[in-house]
Amino acid sequence: MSEIRIKDMTVNYLESPCGIDSLPRFSYKVESDINEDSQKGALISLSEKADFSTIIWKKLTIGSQKNFIECKKKLKPVTKYYWKVEVDCISGAKIFGTSSFVTGKLDERWNGKWIDARVGPERRDDPNFLQKIEKSKNDKDFLQAPYIRKDFTLSQAPKEAYLSIIGLGYFVAEINGQKVGDDVLSPGFTRFDKTDYYMQYDVSSLLQSGDNTIGIVLGNGWFNCFAEDPWNTRQASWRTAPKLLAEIKVVYEDKKIETIGTDDTWKVNLLGGPIYFNGIRNGEHYDANKELGDWTSPGYDDTDWDPVRISRSPGGELRASEFEPIKPFKSFTAVKKWKKDDKWILDFGQNGSGYGIFKFKGKAGTEFTIRYSDILTADGNLDTASIGGFVRSHGFQTDKYTKKSDDVEVWHPVFVYHGFQYMEITGMDYEPEPEDVTAQFICSAVKVAGHFECSDELLNKLQRLCFWSSVSNMESIPTDCPHREKNGWTGDASISSEQMMMNFGSAAFFSKWSRDIRDSQRPAGQIPCVIPSTGWGYNSMNGPDWSSALVNVPFNIFLYEGDEQILKVNYDAIKKNCDFMESMTTDYTLNYGLGDWCAPFEGPAISKNMGSFKCPTEVTDTAFFYNAAKLTSSIASKLGKKDDVKYYSILAQKIKKAFRDSYFDKKTFTVKGDCQTSTAVMLYFGLNEPNEKQGLLDKLVEQIELKDWHLDFGILGCKFVMHSLGDAGLGYIGQRMIAQRTYPGCQEWINRGATTLWECWNGLGSHNHHMFSDLSAFMYKYVAGIAPVESDPGFHTTEFRPALKCGMQSASASHESMYGTVACSWKLTEESAETTITIPFGCKGNLYLPKNCSEFKVVDGTGNEVSIKGKLVGNEYLMSFKSGKYTVSCMTK
């Protein structure tokens, strides 16, 4: 019996979101085991009632499935809505699915006021109050965490209740002694004087008739990052004491509404609580002797607490957090441990980002100090010098805990995260057992959407390195590393965004960061090299290469999700940035970027060496300038902006001519710099004419062979070289390069113990950087063989191109697209090949097989042979399929 169902119903990319301020856009998937099945029509209905007895909006779509169906009806703020989709299939099946979402504040005024724990002017002359302040550990940097509470009474148990809250930099909220939400380090990092993201939670089950209490602890996070560093974080325009805005909306059975909002009746403990220090780049210090008891429960005596102060807004537009919050991802116990002097060092066998969860034993008053790193010294000690030099005050990646009793005490920090594989613990006069210390890794709670494996174990390990480097650096923004900087370097994310779209359901995550980019853009069009930025990074290291994130990230969302709206909302910013680049040139070439950063070098990981690459920056900058103009024209065409299509198309041609005239020797196929990156950038961006492609490919292979088949590229060349080889059917050469057992190569990293990608090919610098992770996209596209198609994006049409001639025996990959699962697996025998493809409901796929294949046999998912003929296109056979699962067998000799 056939099985057909609706799954993965989303609103604005999120499943059952609680709090959306944008217009809701509905998407869904149909899963069917009937080949060539598709949608005939669909009806989407919206209701405030779970039984859909009253319909307030509906939308009928005719024909094939469409995602991102927009509802323009004006909705009520902070209200739960139910939606249903009913689908008629061409197979005759009729199916439906239901889901829900809750609106955010929309355009409703906030009942609550911004508050903080600072001294109000009316109390500055109160001697008792000043004495209390003197006793506290607070200072001008607001190092300790404020503890804020409010008692309130409800006349009856609520039918519904929602907490809308933003605590800057971070917050932890409890109601009646129970934690609100399972997220950590909320809200997301942004430029706080432009945009401020509030969280919203369903707290119906936490409230009760009668007395209730809400308690909130505030952390400094990125809002009050006081550490001295090179990026002027301490001088951020928004930086001040942590502050809070919150309100609880209570809906009773009789439909009456009550709101409890932050105001000057809330109270703060000015003597502080157990968290007496917290800094996002430094660590968290906790003294259990200062715990406040059941301070988040009704009946607590807070007579010694003081009124909060009404505070200024941080200045940004308040918006619902329409992206995945950070949550615990995976935990590890130590695989090794050893003692060095009075310190225990633990190795968790995996590099990542997060914190430790501890079961501390010992006497009351014992202080434990925990330091974190992903590097060891040669003699087995923790090495923080290699990654901690940029953080110049208040310590680096160091947590502290002081015991209050002789009993076992469980603790973990709540306002920091660290990058680490190793922990060093001081204060333990006992040998820790495995259950005493856990490494809890965290990340933005994006779904894992991709899977890759093959018969080459090196590539499997490389995929794991790419995966964990990505997970470690998705912390509400795409950071460069989880320890030394935690900065959102634009170039890193621009290059990595394609593989992150393939491996993760990261569209909401990157849509948020695209807004961060727009928030950072100056009126003239330039953006900084790190985003969010405190004002640093506008005047260097932000050329066309790193600024490409502004266009590449939205374009990859469009390509991988089929979402045209992301192009619309970013178009003006993209256009403005392209115009800025044009203002920087007199001859259509550019030279002010960072270049092919971190190509192989000898010596320490310092800027001079990291920037000692062979490809001239003007070559890559001008190529990125060309790509910006070309993509701006392409996006303008999709959006129907005819004048812009013409202007930027002509601009692109002028840049192409300037590139070729300035940097390309047509006689020898040599691009200025005469290196792997120089040649590949011309191929990757299509700066060559069609009849020059083979000559450039021959040149690239010659350059690789001259390096004894080793790579010789940095972050930019990694994408250019590997994709140019893969696109030409030469992916096996790329595999050979990264498989080298000697320096430089990925195998050499792995031989030295890498569990994430390293920053530098020689192993110095950070041991957790994702900037080379586009190697994962190469493996999906040019080994397993799955890729989206720009003319029919979002995997509505998939290009399958299994690398049957790559020298491996098998490979497989899958991706969970907006339409469903896309997959390709293949295996070889001595004289034959078998390829299995999966195409989602209502979608299409084009399978390309090498010219030497013959005697084709096609079997569908039920084992029945089907008649699908292939046609020769160039050096490949093309076979076109509709939805379903198919296995194609053929002879290869």
Side-chain angles (χ1 to χ4, degrees):
M1 185 175 180
S2 299
E3 188 175 328
I4 308 176
R5 67 185 181 103
I6 291 174
K7 67 172 188 174
D8 297 347
M9 297 174 65
T10 60
V11 181
N12 300 355
Y13 290 114
L14 305 173
E15 292 185 12
S16 302
C18 185
I20 62 165
D21 283 340
S22 305
L23 290 175
R25 297 190 301 150
F26 303 113
S27 301
Y28 58 92
K29 301 174 188 176
V30 178
E31 193 171 72
S32 173
D33 60 3
I34 301 175
N35 276 20
E36 301 192 7
D37 203 3
S38 63
Q39 179 178 288
K40 189 176 179 181
L43 178 66
I44 294 180
S45 306
L46 187 66
S47 176
E48 289 185 55
K49 298 182 177 180
D51 62 2
F52 294 90
S53 55
T54 303
I55 303 298
I56 62 170
W57 175 86
K58 58 185 178 181
K59 175 77 172 182
L60 178 67
T61 62
I62 304 297
S64 63
Q65 181 184 351
K66 298 176 178 64
N67 285 319
F68 312 111
I69 298 168
E70 192 172 76
C71 171
K72 295 184 178 180
K73 180 177 177 62
K74 186 173 178 60
L75 302 178
K76 301 175 185 177
V78 195
T79 301
K80 188 169 188 175
Y81 289 93
Y82 301 86
W83 67 286
K84 175 169 64 174
V85 58
E86 302 168 84
V87 175
D88 287 347
C89 305
I90 62 170
S91 62
K94 297 180 182 294
I95 53 176
F96 75 93
T98 61
S99 189
S100 64
F101 66 95
V102 181
T103 51
K105 292 288 292 178
L106 302 178
D107 55 359
E108 181 183 55
R109 287 182 179 271
W110 283 73
N111 176 273
K113 305 288 186 182
W114 282 99
I115 60 174
D116 65 30
R118 299 178 72 178
V119 183
E122 72 283 356
R123 309 204 63 196
R124 288 176 184 156
D125 296 326
D126 181 344
N128 294 327
F129 180 78
L130 294 177
Q131 186 178 12
K132 187 182 292 186
I133 289 295
E134 185 65 28
K135 288 181 180 178
S136 76
K137 289 187 177 180
N138 228 340
D139 63 11
K140 62 180 181 179
D141 283 326
F142 315 106
L143 303 180
Q144 71 178 11
Y147 288 71
I148 298 172
R149 72 186 305 276
K150 169 71 176 177
D151 292 322
F152 58 96
T153 302
L154 298 182
S155 60
Q156 56 184 287
K159 178 185 177 185
E160 295 178 45
Y162 301 100
L163 170 64
S164 304
I165 178 171
I166 175 171
L168 296 177
Y170 295 133
F171 71 88
V172 175
E174 291 187 5
I175 293 178
N176 297 333
Q178 298 183 64
K179 185 179 183 300
V180 176
D182 59 353
D183 50 302
V184 299
L185 300 179
S186 292
F189 181 24
T190 184
R191 179 171 170 171
F192 298 110
D193 54 2
K194 285 290 186 110
T195 302
D196 294 302
Y197 289 107
Y198 67 90
M199 305 291 291
Q200 188 164 286
Y201 306 91
D202 184 338
V203 295
S204 308
S205 63
L206 302 182
L207 295 172
Q208 60 193 15
S209 177
D211 294 338
N212 292 268
T213 300
I214 182 171
I216 298 161
V217 194
L218 298 179
N220 285 313
W222 293 107
F223 185 67
N224 180 35
C225 185
F226 46 76
E228 293 285 355
D229 61 43
W231 313 286
N232 297 338
T233 314
R234 184 179 171 86
Q235 286 74 41
S237 57
W238 59 72
R239 184 179 164 239
T240 187
K243 55 185 62 183
L244 171 68
L245 172 66
E247 60 184 48
I248 303 172
K249 177 181 179 180
V250 179
V251 182
Y252 296 113
E253 285 289 348
D254 60 5
K255 297 185 179 179
K256 288 185 178 178
I257 295 174
E258 184 175 355
T259 304
I260 299 95
T262 43
D263 57 25
D264 57 7
T265 66
W266 291 51
K267 289 189 169 185
V268 59
N269 189 321
L270 288 169
L271 292 176
I275 302 176
Y276 63 90
F277 174 91
N278 71 104
I280 186 63
R281 286 199 170 106
N282 310 107
E284 181 170 310
H285 302 171
Y286 187 100
D287 185 349
N289 297 285
K290 291 181 170 291
E291 289 178 348
L292 301 173
D294 296 329
W295 68 282
T296 64
S297 297
Y300 181 80
D301 183 3
D302 64 1
T303 52
D304 287 338
W305 292 44
D306 291 276
V308 298
R309 186 186 74 157
I310 301 298
S311 178
R312 293 179 177 88
S313 159
E317 177 188 358
L318 285 165
R319 296 181 62 86
S321 299
E322 294 183 37
F323 50 90
E324 298 85 355
I326 300 172
K327 292 186 178 183
F329 177 68
K330 192 171 183 178
S331 60
F332 292 82
T333 55
V335 296
K336 295 178 184 176
K337 61 184 174 183
W338 58 93
K339 196 170 185 181
K340 301 290 288 187
D341 300 322
D342 61 342
K343 307 174 182 69
W344 280 99
I345 297 178
L346 284 70
D347 177 359
F348 294 92
Q350 176 61 55
N351 205 345
S353 60
Y355 45 78
I357 300 177
F358 306 94
K359 292 181 180 179
F360 287 123
K361 305 169 187 175
K363 298 292 185 180
T366 302
E367 182 181 82
F368 299 87
T369 300
I370 308 101
R371 298 198 306 148
Y372 302 77
S373 183
D374 60 1
I375 303 175
L376 296 174
T377 62
D379 60 356
N381 278 303
L382 200 76
D383 180 0
T384 57
S386 296
I387 55 173
F390 288 156
V391 180
R392 298 166 182 162
S393 68
H394 299 87
F396 175 70
Q397 292 212 141
T398 302
D399 297 334
K400 293 183 179 181
Y401 180 86
T402 303
K403 290 190 85 241
K404 65 181 178 181
S405 72
D406 294 343
D407 298 329
V408 175
E409 295 173 16
V410 179
W411 174 80
H412 67 80
V414 295
F415 292 135
V416 297
Y417 77 93
H418 310 290
F420 68 100
Q421 179 173 335
Y422 310 102
M423 283 186 208
E424 173 200 89
I425 306 176
T426 305
M428 280 186 171
D429 59 1
Y430 57 91
E431 181 176 346
E433 298 297 327
E435 64 271 15
D436 291 341
V437 184
T438 301
Q440 179 62 67
F441 292 140
I442 63 173
C443 71
S444 291
V446 296
K447 284 191 172 183
V448 176
H451 175 78
F452 170 88
E453 63 179 326
C454 66
S455 57
D456 186 334
E457 190 54 32
L458 167 63
L459 295 194
N460 294 335
K461 290 178 180 178
L462 177 58
Q463 168 64 13
R464 180 179 172 88
L465 267 58
C466 294
F467 178 91
W468 272 101
S469 294
S470 302
V471 166
S472 304
N473 287 290
M474 300 176 80
E475 309 292 352
S476 87
I477 65 167
T479 59
D480 63 326
C481 62
H483 34 48
R484 186 182 69 202
E485 300 183 36
K486 295 182 169 76
N487 280 323
W489 281 90
T490 50
D492 301 38
S494 177
I495 296 296
S496 294
S497 60
E498 182 173 12
Q499 70 82 11
M500 288 183 176
M501 294 298 301
M502 184 72 90
N503 280 301
F504 306 95
S506 53
F509 171 85
F510 274 118
S511 295
K512 178 265 183 190
W513 194 59
S514 288
R515 183 183 177 90
D516 292 340
I517 297 177
R518 298 197 303 277
D519 279 351
S520 76
Q521 188 174 42
R522 286 179 168 173
Q526 71 263 55
I527 63 172
C529 55
V530 296
I531 293 173
S533 169
T534 62
W536 182 88
Y538 283 95
N539 297 318
S540 65
M541 297 183 281
N542 65 331
D545 45 11
W546 259 240
S547 296
S548 66
L550 180 54
V551 62
N552 285 349
V553 169
F555 194 80
N556 280 333
I557 295 173
F558 163 75
L559 182 63
Y560 276 76
E561 309 297 337
D563 185 358
E564 195 170 281
Q565 179 172 290
I566 193 69
L567 302 181
K568 292 179 182 177
V569 298
N570 284 285
Y571 179 72
D572 287 344
I574 291 169
K575 177 180 171 182
K576 193 182 294 185
N577 187 246
C578 191
D579 291 346
F580 173 76
M581 292 183 211
E582 189 179 6
S583 75
M584 293 285 288
T585 182
T586 57
D587 61 357
Y588 300 104
T589 67
L590 289 174
N591 183 12
Y592 63 98
L594 198 56
D596 194 26
W597 195 250
C598 279
F601 62 84
E602 299 296 334
I606 57 176
S607 294
K608 179 181 179 181
N609 292 332
M610 292 173 167
S612 62
F613 41 81
K614 295 173 182 174
C615 180
T617 301
E618 60 264 34
V619 171
T620 49
D621 270 5
T622 304
F624 273 105
F625 181 27
Y626 168 72
N627 188 59
K630 190 171 67 169
L631 281 181
T632 304
S633 176
S634 174
I635 295 168
S637 177
K638 299 178 196 304
L639 302 181
K641 299 179 181 292
K642 295 181 180 179
D643 290 345
D644 286 353
V645 172
K646 181 178 179 181
Y647 182 86
Y648 292 102
S649 177
I650 293 172
L651 176 60
Q653 290 306 309
K654 290 177 179 177
I655 301 167
K656 180 177 179 179
K657 182 178 186 304
F659 181 98
R660 293 170 59 82
D661 289 348
S662 301
Y663 310 131
F664 180 48
D665 183 340
K666 290 185 282 187
K667 293 181 180 179
T668 62
F669 295 100
T670 302
V671 183
K672 186 176 181 180
D674 193 12
C675 63
Q676 295 172 13
T677 297
S678 295
T679 306
V681 72
M682 191 166 185
L683 285 162
Y684 182 79
F685 284 128
L687 287 156
N688 58 285
E689 299 301 337
N691 63 352
E692 297 166 345
K693 183 175 182 179
Q694 190 57 53
L696 283 165
L697 284 169
D698 292 342
K699 184 72 172 183
L700 178 58
V701 173
E702 176 188 321
Q703 290 165 333
I704 295 169
E705 186 175 5
L706 285 171
K707 286 293 177 181
D708 195 22
W709 305 100
H710 283 71
L711 60 86
D712 194 28
F713 49 65
I715 173 178
L716 304 180
C718 180
K719 191 172 188 76
F720 305 154
V721 173
M722 301 300 289
H723 284 253
S724 295
L725 291 170
D727 185 63
L730 301 174
Y732 63 92
I733 296 178
Q735 293 166 232
R736 183 175 180 180
M737 295 167 71
I738 60 179
Q740 291 293 337
R741 268 56 179 171
T742 55
Y743 169 83
C746 300
Q747 180 67 59
E748 205 251 350
W749 280 349
I750 294 168
N751 290 345
R752 294 172 61 182
T755 62
T756 45
L757 297 171
W758 293 355
E759 179 181 27
C760 305
W761 293 109
N762 65 5
L764 300 179
S766 162
H767 279 192
N768 196 344
H769 255 63
H770 66 86
M771 64 186 190
F772 289 111
S773 65
D774 186 69
L775 291 167
S776 178
F778 165 80
M779 292 188 288
Y780 275 93
K781 294 167 69 172
Y782 302 117
V783 177
I786 58 173
V789 177
E790 182 182 343
S791 60
D792 195 15
F795 293 93
H796 193 260
T797 293
T798 300
E799 184 176 282
F800 299 99
R801 190 171 260 113
L804 302 183
K805 300 171 73 174
C806 70
M808 292 190 298
Q809 295 304 303
S810 64
S812 67
S814 64
H815 170 72
E816 191 61 27
S817 76
M818 287 297 292
Y819 294 98
T821 304
V822 177
C824 181
S825 64
W826 57 266
K827 59 183 178 181
L828 297 177
T829 63
E830 248 183 65
E831 297 184 346
S832 65
E834 183 179 281
T835 302
T836 300
I837 60 174
T838 302
I839 304 168
F841 174 90
C843 297
K844 297 174 288 185
N846 294 320
L847 174 63
Y848 295 86
L849 295 172
K851 185 178 180 180
N852 66 316
C853 293
S854 62
E855 300 180 38
F856 297 99
K857 179 182 178 181
V858 182
V859 175
D860 65 17
T862 63
N864 295 319
E865 189 170 346
V866 294
S867 177
I868 295 179
K869 303 295 184 183
K871 61 179 180 180
L872 194 60
V873 178
N875 291 319
E876 298 173 303
Y877 279 104
L878 166 63
M879 306 177 80
S880 297
F881 298 84
K882 293 183 179 179
S883 64
K885 185 175 182 179
Y886 303 90
T887 298
V888 179
S889 302
C890 63
M891 301 302 294
T892 55
K893 287 189 178 180

